């Protein structure tokens, strides 16, 4: 058996500490924004119960109150949407700020960049 040492990508492809720090701060702001939206919607369910009588006493299909329907079904759809939005935005921010392995690869059929 012959072991080969792969030195990895050239040094010019590494992200600088300043770039990584900037990406971290941006992703932290994105995460805190999503946490704020998540907490606000989650806190709205009990607040609506105290503020609006129809929220807990009204009846929808199958005898469910709007609060029950929101808790049983709406919050799961909301959680999925928030998670999907957070993951998509975070990946896009990281890719844009730090790039990836194919960031210098030419696109299309044209000549490579000079």
């Amino acid at each position: 058996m012959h072991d080969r040492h792969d030195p990895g990508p050239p040094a010019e492809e590494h992200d600088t500490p300043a770039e990584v720090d900037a990406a971290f701060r941006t992703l932290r702001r994105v995460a805190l924004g999503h946490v704020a939206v998540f907490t606000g919607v989650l806190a709205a369910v009990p607040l609506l119960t105290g503020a609006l009588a129809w929220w807990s006493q009204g009846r929808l299909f199958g005898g469910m109150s709007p609060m029950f329907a929101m808790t049983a079904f709406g919050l799961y759809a909301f959680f999925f949407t928030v998670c999907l939005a957070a993951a998509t935005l975070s990946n896009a921010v990281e890719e844009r700020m730090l790039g990836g392995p194919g960031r210098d690869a030419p696109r299309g059929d044209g000549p490579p960049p000079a």
Side-chain angles (χ1 to χ4, degrees):
M1 296 244 108
H2 180 72
D3 289 335
R4 292 186 183 187
H5 176 67
D6 183 15
E12 65 267 10
E13 289 186 21
H14 289 291
D15 298 313
T16 65
E19 290 173 328
V20 172
D21 188 48
F24 170 76
R25 285 187 312 235
T26 302
L27 290 173
R28 182 176 52 195
R29 282 193 302 269
V30 167
L32 290 175
H34 283 94
V35 166
V37 169
F38 177 85
T39 304
V41 169
L42 203 58
V45 174
L47 291 176
L48 285 172
T49 301
L52 302 172
W54 64 266
W55 179 249
S56 60
Q57 296 171 357
R59 293 293 170 241
L60 299 174
F61 53 90
M64 289 188 288
S65 68
M67 178 182 67
F68 183 84
M70 175 66 173
T71 305
F73 307 110
L75 285 179
Y76 289 108
F78 172 73
F79 294 160
F80 177 77
T81 304
V82 167
C83 290
L84 184 64
T88 304
L89 183 58
S90 296
N91 286 339
V93 166
E94 185 175 352
E95 179 66 28
R96 185 170 182 189
M97 292 183 79
L98 298 178
R103 67 179 161 185
D104 294 329
R107 293 184 181 185
D109 293 331

